[in-house]
PDB file of all heavy atoms in Angstrom:
ATOM      1  N   PRO A 251      16.107  63.374 -49.927  1.00 93.00           N
ATOM      2  CA  PRO A 251      15.377  64.430 -49.220  1.00 93.00           C
ATOM      3  C   PRO A 251      13.893  64.109 -49.097  1.00 93.00           C
ATOM      4  O   PRO A 251      13.340  63.344 -49.893  1.00 93.00           O
ATOM      5  CB  PRO A 251      15.597  65.669 -50.088  1.00 93.00           C
ATOM      6  CG  PRO A 251      15.975  65.154 -51.427  1.00 93.00           C
ATOM      7  CD  PRO A 251      16.612  63.819 -51.222  1.00 93.00           C
ATOM      8  N   VAL A 252      13.260  64.703 -48.109  1.00 95.00           N
ATOM      9  CA  VAL A 252      11.827  64.554 -47.917  1.00 95.00           C
ATOM     10  C   VAL A 252      11.112  65.065 -49.158  1.00 95.00           C
ATOM     11  O   VAL A 252      11.454  66.117 -49.696  1.00 95.00           O
ATOM     12  CB  VAL A 252      11.369  65.349 -46.669  1.00 95.00           C
ATOM     13  CG1 VAL A 252       9.853  65.387 -46.578  1.00 95.00           C
ATOM     14  CG2 VAL A 252      11.970  64.755 -45.417  1.00 95.00           C
ATOM     15  N   LEU A 253      10.140  64.309 -49.621  1.00 96.00           N
ATOM     16  CA  LEU A 253       9.291  64.738 -50.731  1.00 96.00           C
ATOM     17  C   LEU A 253       8.153  65.544 -50.105  1.00 96.00           C
ATOM     18  O   LEU A 253       7.208  64.984 -49.551  1.00 96.00           O
ATOM     19  CB  LEU A 253       8.767  63.533 -51.506  1.00 96.00           C
ATOM     20  CG  LEU A 253       9.849  62.645 -52.131  1.00 96.00           C
ATOM     21  CD1 LEU A 253       9.240  61.360 -52.685  1.00 96.00           C
ATOM     22  CD2 LEU A 253      10.615  63.392 -53.200  1.00 96.00           C
ATOM     23  N   ALA A 254       8.269  66.865 -50.176  1.00 95.00           N
ATOM     24  CA  ALA A 254       7.364  67.746 -49.450  1.00 95.00           C
ATOM     25  C   ALA A 254       6.056  68.029 -50.178  1.00 95.00           C
ATOM     26  O   ALA A 254       5.123  68.541 -49.572  1.00 95.00           O
ATOM     27  CB  ALA A 254       8.079  69.059 -49.135  1.00 95.00           C
ATOM     28  N   SER A 255       5.983  67.706 -51.461  1.00 96.00           N
ATOM     29  CA  SER A 255       4.760  67.988 -52.208  1.00 96.00           C
ATOM     30  C   SER A 255       4.449  66.832 -53.147  1.00 96.00           C
ATOM     31  O   SER A 255       5.317  66.022 -53.487  1.00 96.00           O
ATOM     32  CB  SER A 255       4.916  69.275 -53.019  1.00 96.00           C
ATOM     33  OG  SER A 255       5.830  69.079 -54.086  1.00 96.00           O
ATOM     34  N   GLN A 256       3.213  66.819 -53.599  1.00 96.00           N
ATOM     35  CA  GLN A 256       2.812  65.791 -54.548  1.00 96.00           C
ATOM     36  C   GLN A 256       3.597  65.947 -55.848  1.00 96.00           C
ATOM     37  O   GLN A 256       3.962  64.948 -56.476  1.00 96.00           O
ATOM     38  CB  GLN A 256       1.316  65.860 -54.805  1.00 96.00           C
ATOM     39  CG  GLN A 256       0.818  64.732 -55.685  1.00 96.00           C
ATOM     40  CD  GLN A 256      -0.689  64.738 -55.850  1.00 96.00           C
ATOM     41  OE1 GLN A 256      -1.357  65.738 -55.605  1.00 96.00           O
ATOM     42  NE2 GLN A 256      -1.228  63.602 -56.251  1.00 96.00           N
ATOM     43  N   ASP A 257       3.871  67.178 -56.261  1.00 97.00           N
ATOM     44  CA  ASP A 257       4.652  67.401 -57.482  1.00 97.00           C
ATOM     45  C   ASP A 257       6.058  66.806 -57.372  1.00 97.00           C
ATOM     46  O   ASP A 257       6.552  66.194 -58.319  1.00 97.00           O
ATOM     47  CB  ASP A 257       4.744  68.897 -57.811  1.00 97.00           C
ATOM     48  CG  ASP A 257       3.432  69.447 -58.361  1.00 97.00           C
ATOM     49  OD1 ASP A 257       2.592  68.638 -58.824  1.00 97.00           O
ATOM     50  OD2 ASP A 257       3.255  70.675 -58.326  1.00 97.00           O
ATOM     51  N   GLU A 258       6.700  66.983 -56.207  1.00 97.00           N
ATOM     52  CA  GLU A 258       8.027  66.385 -56.005  1.00 97.00           C
ATOM     53  C   GLU A 258       7.940  64.866 -56.079  1.00 97.00           C
ATOM     54  O   GLU A 258       8.803  64.209 -56.667  1.00 97.00           O
ATOM     55  CB  GLU A 258       8.612  66.811 -54.659  1.00 97.00           C
ATOM     56  CG  GLU A 258       9.052  68.249 -54.597  1.00 97.00           C
ATOM     57  CD  GLU A 258       9.590  68.633 -53.218  1.00 97.00           C
ATOM     58  OE1 GLU A 258       9.870  67.734 -52.390  1.00 97.00           O
ATOM     59  OE2 GLU A 258       9.725  69.842 -52.989  1.00 97.00           O
ATOM     60  N   ALA A 259       6.904  64.306 -55.481  1.00 97.00           N
ATOM     61  CA  ALA A 259       6.725  62.855 -55.492  1.00 97.00           C
ATOM     62  C   ALA A 259       6.439  62.356 -56.905  1.00 97.00           C
ATOM     63  O   ALA A 259       6.949  61.305 -57.312  1.00 97.00           O
ATOM     64  CB  ALA A 259       5.605  62.454 -54.533  1.00 97.00           C
ATOM     65  N   LEU A 260       5.648  63.097 -57.674  1.00 97.00           N
ATOM     66  CA  LEU A 260       5.373  62.710 -59.060  1.00 97.00           C
ATOM     67  C   LEU A 260       6.641  62.724 -59.906  1.00 97.00           C
ATOM     68  O   LEU A 260       6.864  61.832 -60.724  1.00 97.00           O
ATOM     69  CB  LEU A 260       4.340  63.653 -59.680  1.00 97.00           C
ATOM     70  CG  LEU A 260       2.883  63.374 -59.336  1.00 97.00           C
ATOM     71  CD1 LEU A 260       2.002  64.542 -59.760  1.00 97.00           C
ATOM     72  CD2 LEU A 260       2.423  62.080 -59.970  1.00 97.00           C
ATOM     73  N   THR A 261       7.482  63.721 -59.698  1.00 97.00           N
ATOM     74  CA  THR A 261       8.751  63.801 -60.430  1.00 97.00           C
ATOM     75  C   THR A 261       9.629  62.604 -60.099  1.00 97.00           C
ATOM     76  O   THR A 261      10.169  61.943 -60.996  1.00 97.00           O
ATOM     77  CB  THR A 261       9.482  65.119 -60.104  1.00 97.00           C
ATOM     78  OG1 THR A 261       8.659  66.215 -60.518  1.00 97.00           O
ATOM     79  CG2 THR A 261      10.825  65.193 -60.808  1.00 97.00           C
ATOM     80  N   PHE A 262       9.759  62.300 -58.814  1.00 97.00           N
ATOM     81  CA  PHE A 262      10.565  61.141 -58.421  1.00 97.00           C
ATOM     82  C   PHE A 262       9.946  59.849 -58.947  1.00 97.00           C
ATOM     83  O   PHE A 262      10.657  58.954 -59.417  1.00 97.00           O
ATOM     84  CB  PHE A 262      10.736  61.067 -56.898  1.00 97.00           C
ATOM     85  CG  PHE A 262      11.477  59.839 -56.470  1.00 97.00           C
ATOM     86  CD1 PHE A 262      12.840  59.729 -56.688  1.00 97.00           C
ATOM     87  CD2 PHE A 262      10.814  58.774 -55.886  1.00 97.00           C
ATOM     88  CE1 PHE A 262      13.531  58.577 -56.327  1.00 97.00           C
ATOM     89  CE2 PHE A 262      11.489  57.620 -55.519  1.00 97.00           C
ATOM     90  CZ  PHE A 262      12.853  57.525 -55.743  1.00 97.00           C
ATOM     91  N   ALA A 263       8.622  59.736 -58.903  1.00 98.00           N
ATOM     92  CA  ALA A 263       7.943  58.525 -59.385  1.00 98.00           C
ATOM     93  C   ALA A 263       8.258  58.276 -60.858  1.00 98.00           C
ATOM     94  O   ALA A 263       8.484  57.134 -61.264  1.00 98.00           O
ATOM     95  CB  ALA A 263       6.439  58.638 -59.171  1.00 98.00           C
ATOM     96  N   GLY A 264       8.280  59.325 -61.655  1.00 98.00           N
ATOM     97  CA  GLY A 264       8.606  59.180 -63.080  1.00 98.00           C
ATOM     98  C   GLY A 264      10.024  58.701 -63.297  1.00 98.00           C
ATOM     99  O   GLY A 264      10.289  57.823 -64.127  1.00 98.00           O
ATOM    100  N   LYS A 265      10.967  59.278 -62.549  1.00 97.00           N
ATOM    101  CA  LYS A 265      12.370  58.861 -62.659  1.00 97.00           C
ATOM    102  C   LYS A 265      12.548  57.421 -62.182  1.00 97.00           C
ATOM    103  O   LYS A 265      13.284  56.644 -62.795  1.00 97.00           O
ATOM    104  CB  LYS A 265      13.262  59.799 -61.846  1.00 97.00           C
ATOM    105  CG  LYS A 265      13.346  61.187 -62.419  1.00 97.00           C
ATOM    106  CD  LYS A 265      14.162  62.101 -61.516  1.00 97.00           C
ATOM    107  CE  LYS A 265      14.183  63.519 -62.057  1.00 97.00           C
ATOM    108  NZ  LYS A 265      14.898  64.445 -61.168  1.00 97.00           N
ATOM    109  N   LEU A 266      11.871  57.083 -61.102  1.00 97.00           N
ATOM    110  CA  LEU A 266      11.963  55.722 -60.571  1.00 97.00           C
ATOM    111  C   LEU A 266      11.395  54.714 -61.567  1.00 97.00           C
ATOM    112  O   LEU A 266      11.997  53.674 -61.814  1.00 97.00           O
ATOM    113  CB  LEU A 266      11.211  55.632 -59.242  1.00 97.00           C
ATOM    114  CG  LEU A 266      11.176  54.267 -58.572  1.00 97.00           C
ATOM    115  CD1 LEU A 266      12.588  53.800 -58.207  1.00 97.00           C
ATOM    116  CD2 LEU A 266      10.288  54.318 -57.333  1.00 97.00           C
ATOM    117  N   ARG A 267      10.253  55.030 -62.168  1.00 98.00           N
ATOM    118  CA  ARG A 267       9.638  54.138 -63.157  1.00 98.00           C
ATOM    119  C   ARG A 267      10.598  53.889 -64.324  1.00 98.00           C
ATOM    120  O   ARG A 267      10.797  52.752 -64.751  1.00 98.00           O
ATOM    121  CB  ARG A 267       8.318  54.718 -63.664  1.00 98.00           C
ATOM    122  CG  ARG A 267       7.588  53.820 -64.638  1.00 98.00           C
ATOM    123  CD  ARG A 267       6.220  54.352 -65.068  1.00 98.00           C
ATOM    124  NE  ARG A 267       6.213  55.760 -65.414  1.00 98.00           N
ATOM    125  CZ  ARG A 267       5.702  56.744 -64.657  1.00 98.00           C
ATOM    126  NH1 ARG A 267       5.153  56.461 -63.496  1.00 98.00           N
ATOM    127  NH2 ARG A 267       5.738  57.995 -65.042  1.00 98.00           N
ATOM    128  N   ALA A 268      11.236  54.951 -64.812  1.00 97.00           N
ATOM    129  CA  ALA A 268      12.178  54.807 -65.925  1.00 97.00           C
ATOM    130  C   ALA A 268      13.365  53.932 -65.523  1.00 97.00           C
ATOM    131  O   ALA A 268      13.792  53.062 -66.297  1.00 97.00           O
ATOM    132  CB  ALA A 268      12.665  56.178 -66.384  1.00 97.00           C
ATOM    133  N   GLN A 269      13.888  54.129 -64.328  1.00 97.00           N
ATOM    134  CA  GLN A 269      15.048  53.354 -63.862  1.00 97.00           C
ATOM    135  C   GLN A 269      14.689  51.883 -63.643  1.00 97.00           C
ATOM    136  O   GLN A 269      15.396  50.987 -64.087  1.00 97.00           O
ATOM    137  CB  GLN A 269      15.606  53.967 -62.576  1.00 97.00           C
ATOM    138  CG  GLN A 269      16.902  53.364 -62.124  1.00 97.00           C
ATOM    139  CD  GLN A 269      18.036  53.607 -63.105  1.00 97.00           C
ATOM    140  OE1 GLN A 269      18.089  54.633 -63.786  1.00 97.00           O
ATOM    141  NE2 GLN A 269      18.948  52.672 -63.193  1.00 97.00           N
ATOM    142  N   LEU A 270      13.583  51.624 -62.956  1.00 97.00           N
ATOM    143  CA  LEU A 270      13.184  50.240 -62.689  1.00 97.00           C
ATOM    144  C   LEU A 270      12.854  49.487 -63.974  1.00 97.00           C
ATOM    145  O   LEU A 270      13.131  48.295 -64.088  1.00 97.00           O
ATOM    146  CB  LEU A 270      11.969  50.207 -61.752  1.00 97.00           C
ATOM    147  CG  LEU A 270      12.213  50.540 -60.290  1.00 97.00           C
ATOM    148  CD1 LEU A 270      10.888  50.643 -59.545  1.00 97.00           C
ATOM    149  CD2 LEU A 270      13.118  49.516 -59.635  1.00 97.00           C
ATOM    150  N   SER A 271      12.270  50.181 -64.946  1.00 97.00           N
ATOM    151  CA  SER A 271      11.865  49.540 -66.204  1.00 97.00           C
ATOM    152  C   SER A 271      13.042  48.969 -66.981  1.00 97.00           C
ATOM    153  O   SER A 271      12.855  48.125 -67.854  1.00 97.00           O
ATOM    154  CB  SER A 271      11.102  50.533 -67.080  1.00 97.00           C
ATOM    155  OG  SER A 271       9.871  50.847 -66.469  1.00 97.00           O
ATOM    156  N   LYS A 272      14.242  49.370 -66.656  1.00 96.00           N
ATOM    157  CA  LYS A 272      15.434  48.823 -67.310  1.00 96.00           C
ATOM    158  C   LYS A 272      15.699  47.382 -66.869  1.00 96.00           C
ATOM    159  O   LYS A 272      16.358  46.626 -67.582  1.00 96.00           O
ATOM    160  CB  LYS A 272      16.658  49.674 -66.990  1.00 96.00           C
ATOM    161  CG  LYS A 272      16.582  51.075 -67.559  1.00 96.00           C
ATOM    162  CD  LYS A 272      17.781  51.893 -67.110  1.00 96.00           C
ATOM    163  CE  LYS A 272      17.681  53.330 -67.601  1.00 96.00           C
ATOM    164  NZ  LYS A 272      18.809  54.149 -67.126  1.00 96.00           N
ATOM    165  N   ASN A 273      15.211  47.007 -65.685  1.00 95.00           N
ATOM    166  CA  ASN A 273      15.536  45.702 -65.113  1.00 95.00           C
ATOM    167  C   ASN A 273      14.350  44.791 -64.833  1.00 95.00           C
ATOM    168  O   ASN A 273      14.534  43.590 -64.642  1.00 95.00           O
ATOM    169  CB  ASN A 273      16.301  45.893 -63.799  1.00 95.00           C
ATOM    170  CG  ASN A 273      17.585  46.652 -63.998  1.00 95.00           C
ATOM    171  OD1 ASN A 273      18.385  46.301 -64.853  1.00 95.00           O
ATOM    172  ND2 ASN A 273      17.770  47.712 -63.234  1.00 95.00           N
ATOM    173  N   VAL A 274      13.161  45.358 -64.730  1.00 96.00           N
ATOM    174  CA  VAL A 274      11.973  44.575 -64.385  1.00 96.00           C
ATOM    175  C   VAL A 274      10.826  44.986 -65.301  1.00 96.00           C
ATOM    176  O   VAL A 274      10.925  45.961 -66.031  1.00 96.00           O
ATOM    177  CB  VAL A 274      11.591  44.776 -62.894  1.00 96.00           C
ATOM    178  CG1 VAL A 274      12.675  44.227 -61.978  1.00 96.00           C
ATOM    179  CG2 VAL A 274      11.319  46.240 -62.582  1.00 96.00           C
ATOM    180  N   SER A 275       9.716  44.251 -65.248  1.00 96.00           N
ATOM    181  CA  SER A 275       8.596  44.554 -66.149  1.00 96.00           C
ATOM    182  C   SER A 275       7.359  44.978 -65.368  1.00 96.00           C
ATOM    183  O   SER A 275       7.267  44.775 -64.157  1.00 96.00           O
ATOM    184  CB  SER A 275       8.284  43.338 -67.015  1.00 96.00           C
ATOM    185  OG  SER A 275       7.880  42.257 -66.207  1.00 96.00           O
ATOM    186  N   GLY A 276       6.404  45.534 -66.110  1.00 97.00           N
ATOM    187  CA  GLY A 276       5.124  45.905 -65.525  1.00 97.00           C
ATOM    188  C   GLY A 276       5.216  46.969 -64.457  1.00 97.00           C
ATOM    189  O   GLY A 276       4.417  46.973 -63.519  1.00 97.00           O
ATOM    190  N   VAL A 277       6.155  47.887 -64.571  1.00 98.00           N
ATOM    191  CA  VAL A 277       6.391  48.884 -63.525  1.00 98.00           C
ATOM    192  C   VAL A 277       5.280  49.927 -63.490  1.00 98.00           C
ATOM    193  O   VAL A 277       4.913  50.508 -64.507  1.00 98.00           O
ATOM    194  CB  VAL A 277       7.747  49.595 -63.724  1.00 98.00           C
ATOM    195  CG1 VAL A 277       7.962  50.651 -62.645  1.00 98.00           C
ATOM    196  CG2 VAL A 277       8.888  48.583 -63.740  1.00 98.00           C
ATOM    197  N   VAL A 278       4.753  50.148 -62.295  1.00 98.00           N
ATOM    198  CA  VAL A 278       3.786  51.205 -62.031  1.00 98.00           C
ATOM    199  C   VAL A 278       4.278  51.934 -60.792  1.00 98.00           C
ATOM    200  O   VAL A 278       4.676  51.300 -59.814  1.00 98.00           O
ATOM    201  CB  VAL A 278       2.372  50.630 -61.772  1.00 98.00           C
ATOM    202  CG1 VAL A 278       1.392  51.726 -61.413  1.00 98.00           C
ATOM    203  CG2 VAL A 278       1.893  49.820 -62.952  1.00 98.00           C
ATOM    204  N   THR A 279       4.272  53.276 -60.841  1.00 98.00           N
ATOM    205  CA  THR A 279       4.669  54.062 -59.674  1.00 98.00           C
ATOM    206  C   THR A 279       3.594  55.088 -59.371  1.00 98.00           C
ATOM    207  O   THR A 279       2.879  55.528 -60.273  1.00 98.00           O
ATOM    208  CB  THR A 279       6.015  54.786 -59.889  1.00 98.00           C
ATOM    209  OG1 THR A 279       5.908  55.636 -61.026  1.00 98.00           O
ATOM    210  CG2 THR A 279       7.146  53.795 -60.084  1.00 98.00           C
ATOM    211  N   GLN A 280       3.483  55.456 -58.090  1.00 97.00           N
ATOM    212  CA  GLN A 280       2.521  56.483 -57.708  1.00 97.00           C
ATOM    213  C   GLN A 280       2.941  57.127 -56.390  1.00 97.00           C
ATOM    214  O   GLN A 280       3.497  56.467 -55.515  1.00 97.00           O
ATOM    215  CB  GLN A 280       1.115  55.912 -57.584  1.00 97.00           C
ATOM    216  CG  GLN A 280       0.941  55.001 -56.373  1.00 97.00           C
ATOM    217  CD  GLN A 280      -0.466  54.464 -56.274  1.00 97.00           C
ATOM    218  OE1 GLN A 280      -0.873  53.691 -57.114  1.00 97.00           O
ATOM    219  NE2 GLN A 280      -1.196  54.869 -55.256  1.00 97.00           N
ATOM    220  N   PRO A 281       2.664  58.432 -56.263  1.00 97.00           N
ATOM    221  CA  PRO A 281       2.907  59.094 -54.984  1.00 97.00           C
ATOM    222  C   PRO A 281       1.890  58.623 -53.954  1.00 97.00           C
ATOM    223  O   PRO A 281       0.748  58.314 -54.306  1.00 97.00           O
ATOM    224  CB  PRO A 281       2.687  60.580 -55.287  1.00 97.00           C
ATOM    225  CG  PRO A 281       2.612  60.700 -56.758  1.00 97.00           C
ATOM    226  CD  PRO A 281       2.219  59.359 -57.291  1.00 97.00           C
ATOM    227  N   VAL A 282       2.303  58.545 -52.696  1.00 96.00           N
ATOM    228  CA  VAL A 282       1.381  58.229 -51.605  1.00 96.00           C
ATOM    229  C   VAL A 282       1.608  59.231 -50.477  1.00 96.00           C
ATOM    230  O   VAL A 282       2.745  59.539 -50.123  1.00 96.00           O
ATOM    231  CB  VAL A 282       1.539  56.773 -51.108  1.00 96.00           C
ATOM    232  CG1 VAL A 282       1.044  55.795 -52.144  1.00 96.00           C
ATOM    233  CG2 VAL A 282       2.964  56.442 -50.728  1.00 96.00           C
ATOM    234  N   ASP A 283       0.522  59.732 -49.945  1.00 94.00           N
ATOM    235  CA  ASP A 283       0.564  60.727 -48.876  1.00 94.00           C
ATOM    236  C   ASP A 283       0.848  60.041 -47.551  1.00 94.00           C
ATOM    237  O   ASP A 283       0.227  59.031 -47.222  1.00 94.00           O
ATOM    238  CB  ASP A 283      -0.788  61.445 -48.833  1.00 94.00           C
ATOM    239  CG  ASP A 283      -0.809  62.597 -47.851  1.00 94.00           C
ATOM    240  OD1 ASP A 283       0.237  62.936 -47.268  1.00 94.00           O
ATOM    241  OD2 ASP A 283      -1.901  63.173 -47.666  1.00 94.00           O
ATOM    242  N   ARG A 284       1.768  60.615 -46.805  1.00 90.00           N
ATOM    243  CA  ARG A 284       2.135  60.067 -45.503  1.00 90.00           C
ATOM    244  C   ARG A 284       2.036  61.146 -44.423  1.00 90.00           C
ATOM    245  O   ARG A 284       2.974  61.401 -43.710  1.00 90.00           O
ATOM    246  CB  ARG A 284       3.564  59.500 -45.525  1.00 90.00           C
ATOM    247  CG  ARG A 284       3.684  58.168 -46.231  1.00 90.00           C
ATOM    248  CD  ARG A 284       2.900  57.131 -45.464  1.00 90.00           C
ATOM    249  NE  ARG A 284       3.141  55.796 -45.927  1.00 90.00           N
ATOM    250  CZ  ARG A 284       2.311  55.125 -46.709  1.00 90.00           C
ATOM    251  NH1 ARG A 284       1.228  55.679 -47.153  1.00 90.00           N
ATOM    252  NH2 ARG A 284       2.583  53.890 -47.055  1.00 90.00           N
ATOM    253  N   ALA A 285       0.898  61.795 -44.324  1.00 86.00           N
ATOM    254  CA  ALA A 285       0.622  62.776 -43.265  1.00 86.00           C
ATOM    255  C   ALA A 285       1.769  63.759 -43.064  1.00 86.00           C
ATOM    256  O   ALA A 285       2.514  63.681 -42.097  1.00 86.00           O
ATOM    257  CB  ALA A 285       0.275  62.066 -41.961  1.00 86.00           C
ATOM    258  N   GLY A 286       1.905  64.665 -43.982  1.00 85.00           N
ATOM    259  CA  GLY A 286       2.914  65.704 -43.833  1.00 85.00           C
ATOM    260  C   GLY A 286       4.086  65.573 -44.781  1.00 85.00           C
ATOM    261  O   GLY A 286       4.897  66.484 -44.898  1.00 85.00           O
TER     262      GLY A 286
END
Side-chain angles (χ1 to χ4, degrees):
V252 171
L253 300 171
S255 70
Q256 185 175 18
D257 286 341
E258 288 178 14
L260 280 168
T261 299
F262 176 73
K265 291 176 183 177
L266 178 62
R267 183 176 45 254
Q269 188 64 32
L270 286 172
S271 293
K272 295 176 183 178
N273 300 309
V274 295
S275 62
V277 179
V278 176
T279 58
Q280 71 179 67
V282 290
D283 186 6
R284 284 295 190 258

